[in-house]
Amino acid sequence: MPKKKTDNRSIGNQFETEMCEILGQHGFWAHNMQQNSSGQPADIIAIRGAYHVLIDCKHIAGDKGFPFSQIRDNQREAMKMFQRRTGQFGYFALKLPDNTIWLVTLDRMDILATRGKTRLTVEEIRGGQAWSLEAWLESSKVWAEDT
């Protein structure tokens, strides 16, 4: 059983590194926040122009999607504070089993939760509840100019 946790951590760390590299290739300064004993509110802080973003990376292993129960209280509070102070969102980067990457805001998940949802299914992620990485990167160019 401990091996699985190590494997999950290794997969997660690889995805965080991959996201930082992708963001860097698209004009962001991206910093992978270091793990600490009490956890951190997100994995990555990225800046492009005046656009700032917090990103937490989640690797989705199966077809069940992303359960909202995986959002920790300290993440929720930090992302909400970040939004209040910057006017910009905290995102979850979701890497699906087909290796595509999708981004969804904490706010979007909260809206869905108020409607009784407890998770985002893979079909919902692909079906418009999240941004594809490519679409998000393209939009971030505009956001960086507008902010």
Side-chain angles (χ1 to χ4, degrees):
M1 188 64 95
K3 184 170 176 50
K4 184 177 181 194
K5 186 172 184 178
T6 301
D7 290 345
N8 287 342
R9 181 170 287 155
S10 176
I11 290 168
N13 289 344
Q14 289 171 3
F15 180 32
E16 293 163 16
T17 300
E18 177 186 3
M19 271 304 290
C20 282
E21 289 172 0
I22 291 168
L23 291 166
Q25 292 166 0
H26 287 86
F28 281 90
W29 170 85
H31 176 71
N32 189 344
M33 292 190 233
Q34 204 153 342
Q35 291 280 340
N36 63 49
S37 60
S38 61
Q40 76 272 358
D43 296 317
I44 298 169
I45 185 166
I47 300 169
R48 182 181 188 165
Y51 180 56
H52 306 74
V53 63
L54 286 179
I55 300 173
D56 194 69
C57 297
K58 300 290 186 188
H59 190 273
I60 310 300
D63 60 356
K64 294 183 180 176
F66 179 70
F68 299 157
S69 61
Q70 286 189 12
I71 303 170
R72 297 182 310 275
D73 289 340
N74 71 325
Q75 276 182 317
R76 179 177 301 286
E77 292 308 312
M79 286 185 175
K80 292 290 185 182
M81 181 184 296
F82 181 81
Q83 184 178 352
R84 283 191 304 271
R85 293 189 177 178
T86 67
Q88 298 166 24
F89 296 104
Y91 284 86
F92 288 85
L94 308 174
K95 186 170 187 177
L96 301 183
D98 65 0
N99 289 321
T100 59
I101 299 171
W102 300 79
L103 286 99
V104 61
T105 65
L106 174 63
D107 273 9
R108 183 72 190 141
M109 286 191 253
D110 284 347
I111 289 167
L112 294 170
T114 63
R115 297 178 183 161
K117 299 281 300 169
T118 59
R119 70 177 52 245
L120 266 178
T121 66
V122 170
E123 293 79 22
E124 290 168 330
I125 292 166
R126 289 187 183 126
Q129 295 296 341
W131 294 77
S132 70
L133 175 62
E134 295 78 14
W136 184 85
L137 286 167
E138 191 61 33
S139 294
S140 73
K141 292 176 187 176
V142 174
W143 298 330
E145 293 169 3
D146 288 346
T147 53

